[in-house]
Amino acid sequence: MDRGLAPVRTTQHQGEQLAVLATLDSGSRAAARGWSDLTIRNAFILPTIAFLIIFNIFPLLYSLGFSFTQFRVSLNKPAEFVGIQNYADLLADPAIWRSFTTTAQYVIVSVGGQMIVGFGLALLLNRPFKFKGLVTTLLMLPMMLSPAVVGLFWKLLYDPSWGPINYALGLGKFEWLSNRVNALFAVAITDIWMWSPFVMLLSLAGLSAIPKSLYEAAAIDRAGWWYTFRRITLPLVSPLLLIALIFRTMEAFKAFDLPFIMSTASVETIAIKLYQMAFQGWDTGRASALAYIVLIVVLCITNIYVKYLNRVKER
């Protein structure tokens, strides 16, 4: 037993044994230094709170103030308060809406492909076979790689002159990354290859938690595979699928690295537009306003998913 803590006592509550941590042992080193439970708790919590305030909350509020100003970092001029003019100009800018449209299309193709491929791989792996652990580990390798490395690697694969993809498909010198539509699908395929293992892992966790007795009962009732999948497998795995959908939608909506490395001009997502406005045009005020518009859109989409997830859990 750790001498820093007194023995644990248990209490009976609704038929369950609940462990209640006692106060510090009077003979422990912490008690000798005059530390209390509250002091130890604060020693762990306060640095975390300070880190979040300094590196998360403060920049968030600081940029919020800039979003209501006309300000450029490159100019030695003070910020000029303009109210919601930056937001109005951005929402009236056709280029911003084109970037949002491109981002929405990218999210649909990329996340939709990840859900299909990831769940399909999970169904294939949810059965005993030789070297199952090795195969699962190999399939997880793409999401462990750096997005910059993945983007450069697939950019070489898509090369029209000597890329192996065109050679394997017999497409000649097909341009994957110069045309907007082709580039969007090319980058989305790369994202699907990289992040489908994430959906696969969550799906495998859900599939392994399904009681085998349900499948045995369905087999006794001579239920077909489609009925078993629709009535047993999919409903019980859907909460984890929705969690994967939430995370991947949030990340895909903020996609910057892969589109920027592979095809900056063709696939101009809203994140790339924000980068160009902030670090190439140095329009700090409008860039801050655009960042908050993106934040609001992501929060709204996430809120919709979370509400639907809660409904699924209640069933």
Side-chain angles (χ1 to χ4, degrees):
M1 182 185 301
D2 188 356
R3 291 186 56 83
L5 296 175
V8 175
R9 63 177 185 271
T10 58
T11 58
Q12 187 74 19
H13 180 66
Q14 295 181 354
E16 297 181 357
Q17 294 290 332
L18 301 178
V20 181
L21 186 62
T23 58
L24 287 172
D25 186 359
S26 58
S28 65
R29 294 181 180 179
R33 294 190 182 99
W35 292 0
S36 63
D37 291 345
L38 182 61
T39 303
I40 295 177
R41 186 196 68 181
N42 292 339
F44 283 96
I45 295 178
L46 291 180
T48 305
I49 296 176
F51 181 86
L52 291 176
I53 292 175
I54 295 173
F55 294 100
N56 289 72
I57 298 177
F58 176 74
L60 197 66
L61 297 178
Y62 197 64
S63 61
L64 178 62
F66 277 133
S67 68
F68 298 107
T69 63
Q70 183 69 34
F71 177 66
R72 291 179 179 268
V73 177
S74 58
L75 300 179
N76 189 20
K77 293 182 180 180
E80 179 186 353
F81 182 77
V82 294
I84 61 172
Q85 187 62 42
N86 288 331
Y87 292 91
D89 293 342
L90 288 171
L91 294 177
D93 190 352
I96 298 299
W97 287 106
R98 284 196 298 270
S99 297
F100 270 113
T101 301
T102 301
T103 303
Q105 293 171 345
Y106 176 79
V107 169
I108 293 172
V109 176
S110 174
V111 178
Q114 292 170 30
M115 299 301 294
I116 295 173
V117 174
F119 188 52
L121 289 174
L123 291 174
L124 293 176
L125 293 175
N126 190 38
R127 59 191 65 189
F129 59 88
K130 289 185 178 180
F131 309 111
K132 178 180 178 180
L134 177 62
V135 173
T136 304
T137 303
L138 292 176
L139 289 174
M140 291 193 318
L141 287 179
M143 73 175 187
M144 300 178 185
L145 300 176
S146 169
V149 174
V150 172
L152 291 173
F153 174 72
W154 277 82
K155 190 174 183 179
L156 295 176
L157 294 180
Y158 285 127
D159 188 274
S161 299
W162 47 271
I165 291 181
N166 283 349
Y167 178 79
L169 299 178
L171 298 177
K173 293 189 176 182
F174 183 76
E175 296 283 346
W176 283 96
L177 301 175
S178 59
N179 178 272
R180 176 186 174 277
V181 177
N182 296 338
L184 188 146
F185 278 97
V187 178
I189 289 172
T190 305
D191 199 40
I192 292 170
W193 176 83
M194 184 175 182
W195 288 109
S196 290
F198 175 77
V199 181
M200 178 194 74
L201 282 178
L202 290 181
S203 301
L204 270 176
L207 291 172
S208 61
I210 299 177
K212 302 298 181 183
S213 58
L214 296 178
Y215 292 111
E216 294 172 357
I220 293 174
D221 293 337
R222 296 184 179 180
W225 69 270
W226 173 245
Y227 182 89
T228 303
F229 174 79
R230 187 166 55 92
R231 294 294 185 179
I232 299 177
T233 305
L234 191 57
L236 295 178
V237 181
S238 57
L240 286 175
L241 285 177
L242 282 174
I243 292 175
L245 183 63
I246 291 172
F247 281 104
R248 290 312 309 150
T249 301
M250 292 171 59
E251 292 299 321
F253 198 89
K254 299 181 296 181
F256 173 80
D257 34 30
L258 287 181
F260 183 78
I261 292 171
M262 297 181 66
S263 181
T264 306
S266 301
V267 186
E268 190 180 83
T269 61
I270 196 63
I272 292 179
K273 188 69 176 179
L274 178 60
Y275 166 80
Q276 293 172 348
M277 189 179 298
F279 300 106
Q280 293 180 352
W282 297 106
D283 195 348
T284 309
R286 294 188 65 191
S288 299
L290 180 57
Y292 269 88
I293 291 175
V294 174
L295 176 63
I296 292 172
V297 172
V298 172
L299 288 177
C300 291
I301 296 175
T302 305
N303 188 47
I304 294 172
Y305 283 157
V306 171
K307 286 185 177 180
Y308 187 71
L309 176 62
N310 292 332
R311 292 181 182 178
V312 171
K313 288 183 177 179
E314 292 173 356
R315 294 176 183 173

